[in-house]
Amino acid sequence: ALALMALVITLSSCTEKDDFTTEVIDFQSVALEPDSYWNGSDGAGEMVLGMASFNNSYDSDWGAWSGFAFSNVTDTQTAGWGNQYSAYVASEPNGSNNYAVSYVTGTVANITFFTAVNLQSVKITNSTYAYHSILNGDEYNRKFEDGDWFLLTIVGFNSDEEILGQETFYLADFRNSASVVVDDWTKIDLRGLKGVTKIVFHLTSSDNGDWGMNTPAYFCMDDLVYTYM
């Protein structure tokens, strides 16, 4: 009887697992010319990939955007806002690799899913703009010193807008005599976020002024992995 019970449990586990579809959003389906980007200037307002919708807000009067853009720019040398669409990747540049760039204002940087998903992982790195600003400072923010930090928080919600959990990742960490600035694609475990229909991204920093955070509010993303029924 115990052996039969074990067999039934094993079979049901396999069936349950097989009911889930695994999807990897690698952004390669976004149509981009080499060394270029999409920032929502066409007025689309979002980018739908797989089961996910990436929010984008574009102001044609000011040529300003927020939420998500998509890019394959490989310039890691040029500092400043003019290079805001580049991911900082210290490994061999790959001009054919598309990725997402997020400019975070309020809660506008969010991804909504068409069904509840169980997140698995995502790869994150700094934007080139933030990377150089953290290391060297610029006209808007100071060079990071001992005790400084730059933190990405990913918050998961269900369909009732209830918070299901969150994951955090330090894009730069100078606490406790450390001097870490993320400079390559880094895989983050998101398996604690299950049954989510929306994830919202927040950036916070130890460098703040009268107008809020001084550190450039950007990060870059690739290979978002999730499962769904």
Side-chain angles (χ1 to χ4, degrees):
L2 286 174
L4 179 59
M5 186 180 294
L7 178 61
V8 171
I9 291 171
T10 301
L11 289 175
S12 64
S13 297
C14 290
T15 303
E16 183 178 333
K17 185 176 181 181
D18 291 342
D19 283 342
F20 280 89
T21 298
T22 299
E23 195 159 78
V24 181
I25 297 181
D26 62 7
F27 307 105
Q28 293 306 107
S29 63
V30 180
L32 292 175
E33 295 295 322
D35 199 37
S36 71
Y37 57 85
W38 176 92
N39 65 0
S41 61
D42 56 4
E46 65 176 2
M47 178 72 76
V48 174
L49 300 168
M51 298 296 292
S53 172
F54 292 75
N55 191 55
N56 170 275
S57 177
Y58 186 86
D59 186 327
S60 57
D61 291 335
W62 296 92
W65 68 281
S66 59
F68 286 95
F70 303 92
S71 174
N72 54 25
V73 177
T74 59
D75 178 6
T76 59
Q77 303 303 312
T78 305
W81 175 83
N83 192 23
Q84 64 177 313
Y85 299 102
S86 170
Y88 195 94
V89 181
S91 55
E92 188 68 27
N94 180 1
S96 64
N97 180 52
N98 293 348
Y99 54 85
V101 181
S102 183
Y103 174 47
V104 182
T105 60
T107 59
V108 74
N110 65 77
I111 303 170
T112 54
F113 298 92
F114 303 127
T115 188
V117 302
N118 296 329
L119 296 174
Q120 301 296 308
S121 63
V122 68
K123 291 179 181 176
I124 299 290
T125 191
N126 272 298
S127 68
T128 298
Y129 179 24
Y131 180 86
H132 286 291
S133 295
I134 288 166
L135 277 184
N136 306 309
D138 58 32
E139 64 268 38
Y140 302 111
N141 65 284
R142 56 177 169 77
K143 176 181 177 179
F144 269 28
E145 301 170 345
D146 186 44
D148 282 326
W149 49 269
F150 183 36
L151 179 68
L152 171 67
T153 302
I154 305 170
V155 185
F157 294 83
N158 64 15
S159 56
D160 294 323
E161 291 290 319
E162 297 168 331
I163 295 176
L164 298 180
Q166 66 179 39
E167 301 290 343
T168 57
F169 177 67
Y170 282 93
L171 287 158
D173 191 357
F174 284 59
R175 301 170 304 159
N176 302 315
S177 300
S179 56
V180 176
V181 185
V182 173
D183 64 356
D184 222 328
W185 293 116
T186 305
K187 188 175 180 178
I188 303 174
D189 187 350
L190 298 180
R191 288 175 295 177
L193 300 178
K194 298 181 183 299
V196 304
T197 55
K198 181 170 75 171
I199 50 178
V200 178
F201 299 83
H202 300 278
L203 289 171
T204 49
S205 169
S206 55
D207 183 9
N208 300 282
D210 294 338
W211 305 101
M213 185 172 72
N214 291 331
T215 309
Y218 294 77
F219 71 92
C220 300
M221 170 197 303
D222 205 352
D223 295 345
L224 176 64
V225 185
Y226 54 86
T227 64
Y228 63 94
M229 293 289 286

